[in-house]
Amino acid sequence: MRTMNTTARRTSTRLTTLALATAFAGLLAPRAATAQERMTVPPQEQPVVLRGATIHTVTKGTITNGTIVLDRGKITAIGGPDIAVPRGAKVVDLAGKHIYPGLIDAYSTVGITEIGSVDVSNDINELGDFNPNVRAEVAVNAESRHIGTTRSAGVLVAFSTPEGGVISGLSSAMSLEGWTWEEMSMKGAAALNVKWPDPNAQPRRGGGGGPGGRGGPAGPPPKTYAEQVEQIKGYFAEARAYRDAVKSNQSVRTDARYAAMIPAIDGSIPVVVAAEGAAQINDAITWGKAEGIKLVIRGGRDALFVADRLKAENVPVILTSTMSAPDRQYEGYDNAYATPAKLHAAGVKFAIAGGSGALYSYRLPWEAGVAVAFGLPEEEALKAVTINAAEFMGVADKVGSLEVGKEATLLITTGTPLDMTSNIIQSYIQGREINMMDIHKLFFQKYMEKIKQQAPRKITP
């Protein structure tokens, strides 16, 4: 990964994306080129009534032949067929269809990375080890092609997350509809991200000043695991001292990094700690308890080994390896597939996020679906990509379930969105009936047209 954080580079990113979009447009066949690819729609103005569908609220059961009313971006009524229709409302008959809340990706780089081989289209990592003031939302490219393909799979909310260093920065809850990042942002500082050191990793020793470590003075010696942990503790202690000084009206120089950590230290937002191994998870829990923070573990490959403690300490996990193949010789082929079911049986709270790569964010529903195939109850799998993710990341008052007062962000489907044979017919984000076109569909149209035009013609005698 490359590091980019300057205004000039972000401008370059947008110009590059525009150039790529122009190039794609020139390649499209005339018929396909006329199709609108993910046109943003304006905020909801007219009430919408969706009726006749089976409504899966997630938190309040399932309603058969249900009715849901959307007005000014909110859900204003939900229930059976007897709900009154507001004057001037658009009524949509959905008999035989299903309505689900929009899915939530709790660990995503959608909007901050585009093409892996094009450096200027990736804005993920920052220079330095400690960047708590970095907010992913300001780097989100609202024109990203990955937004359309992600939405087509039912993922309507994503937590764009910076990476790199030890304290990477703040995840931002992004609603995947809007012209700009300001319009898309739901919660700019949703969670502080910390990368916990690996006690089993072999440190890479610094070399000399020249290439390959030749010529010049030797670099600083690598830090041990204990030293890396103390570095994290020390940084949080400094941030806490800064907070206390500000609260007591002491004359202190403003420090944006420490200031950004205050909500995490106060418990207003969670601290998401990336940890895979059992020792990492255990040490992170011990540290989080001592700090008095709201801790969430992300990754959790070995969460089963510490399931009892995770449950006892009420520490949730964001799983990022549900569809992964085993990477250790002693593991069964289904180790990752079956982990969610085993954590559920152990009473551990969890969400499913899959990998962070924007290219595969559309796979999120299937990350949960494979867990169903290996023993996780379907309703729990649905919670893992809706309300659980919303609760862990502090946006459950807005999204994650279908309830009066929450944002009208939902899916209309032919069946469960966790099954790849189901179709997402239509999605609404904050009451907006979004355009369902994406680059995958656009290319499908293009190449179907190619097949049609190049098909052998029948010769009539």
Side-chain angles (χ1 to χ4, degrees), residues 170-255:
L170 296 161
S171 293
S172 299
M174 306 301 291
S175 182
L176 298 185
E177 172 69 3
W179 289 105
T180 64
W181 69 261
E182 293 95 337
E183 192 176 350
M184 296 169 64
S185 180
M186 293 173 55
K187 188 174 183 180
L192 182 67
N193 293 274
V194 174
K195 183 178 181 181
W196 199 260
D198 185 353
N200 300 315
Q202 294 295 325
R204 185 172 60 184
R205 295 189 175 277
R214 296 187 299 272
K223 289 184 174 64
T224 65
Y225 173 71
E227 288 172 336
Q228 293 177 70
V229 171
E230 286 302 317
Q231 195 177 23
I232 295 173
K233 292 179 179 179
Y235 205 86
F236 269 75
E238 292 169 9
R240 187 173 286 104
Y242 175 85
R243 177 203 62 183
D244 294 343
V246 172
K247 283 185 176 180
S248 61
N249 295 319
Q250 294 182 28
S251 178
V252 293
R253 195 160 127 196
T254 301
D255 191 306

Side-chain angles (χ1 to χ4, degrees), residues 97-428:
K97 304 300 187 294
H98 297 260
I99 299 177
Y100 289 86
L103 307 186
I104 302 172
D105 191 346
Y107 176 43
S108 173
T109 56
V110 169
I112 56 177
T113 181
E114 197 72 16
I115 303 171
S117 60
V118 180
D119 289 349
V120 295
S121 71
N122 296 278
D123 197 357
I124 305 173
N125 294 344
E126 303 297 326
L127 286 171
D129 289 336
F130 297 93
N131 297 291
N133 55 315
V134 168
R135 291 200 337 265
E137 63 175 354
V138 300
V140 168
N141 174 20
E143 301 294 334
S144 171
R145 295 298 178 96
H146 298 306
I147 291 176
T149 56
T150 300
R151 297 189 322 185
S152 290
V155 183
L156 306 185
V157 176
F159 284 85
S160 290
T161 303
E163 298 180 1
V166 178
I167 300 181
S168 306
L170 296 161
S171 293
S172 299
M174 306 301 291
S175 182
L176 298 185
E177 172 69 3
W179 289 105
T180 64
W181 69 261
E182 293 95 337
E183 192 176 350
M184 296 169 64
S185 180
M186 293 173 55
K187 188 174 183 180
L192 182 67
N193 293 274
V194 174
K195 183 178 181 181
W196 199 260
D198 185 353
N200 300 315
Q202 294 295 325
R204 185 172 60 184
R205 295 189 175 277
R214 296 187 299 272
K223 289 184 174 64
T224 65
Y225 173 71
E227 288 172 336
Q228 293 177 70
V229 171
E230 286 302 317
Q231 195 177 23
I232 295 173
K233 292 179 179 179
Y235 205 86
F236 269 75
E238 292 169 9
R240 187 173 286 104
Y242 175 85
R243 177 203 62 183
D244 294 343
V246 172
K247 283 185 176 180
S248 61
N249 295 319
Q250 294 182 28
S251 178
V252 293
R253 195 160 127 196
T254 301
D255 191 306
R257 296 174 301 169
Y258 294 148
M261 294 177 65
I262 292 175
I265 292 171
D266 288 343
S268 300
I269 63 173
V271 177
V272 178
V273 175
E276 297 285 357
Q280 286 180 289
I281 297 171
N282 259 321
D283 287 353
I285 294 173
T286 300
W287 168 77
K289 187 175 181 179
E291 294 284 349
I293 58 176
K294 189 185 297 182
L295 180 68
V296 178
I297 298 295
R298 188 183 73 222
R301 180 189 61 188
D302 289 342
L304 279 174
F305 296 116
V306 290
D308 290 343
R309 189 176 184 197
L310 288 166
K311 178 184 177 181
E313 302 284 356
N314 196 28
V315 176
V317 179
I318 298 174
L319 294 171
T320 61
S321 57
T322 308
M323 292 179 70
S324 296
D327 57 4
R328 293 176 289 198
Q329 191 173 12
Y330 62 83
E331 292 178 340
Y333 81 95
D334 62 346
N335 184 70
Y337 310 150
T339 292
K342 293 176 180 178
L343 285 178
H344 172 62
V348 177
K349 297 179 181 179
F350 64 90
I352 294 174
S356 66
L359 181 63
Y360 299 117
S361 287
Y362 70 92
R363 294 182 179 180
L364 176 66
W366 309 326
E367 297 270 1
V370 75
V372 176
F374 283 81
L376 182 67
E378 185 177 321
E379 59 271 20
E380 293 301 324
L382 184 61
K383 289 179 181 179
V385 289
T386 54
I387 191 63
N388 288 1
E391 287 178 349
F392 300 167
M393 304 296 276
V395 293
D397 60 324
K398 298 180 179 180
V399 291
S401 62
L402 300 178
E403 301 178 44
V404 172
K406 288 194 175 184
E407 293 183 357
T409 296
L410 52 86
L411 313 171
I412 300 171
T413 74
T414 59
T416 172
L418 308 187
D419 187 339
M420 63 176 62
T421 62
S422 298
N423 292 323
I424 311 295
I425 299 171
Q426 183 61 57
S427 296
Y428 287 80

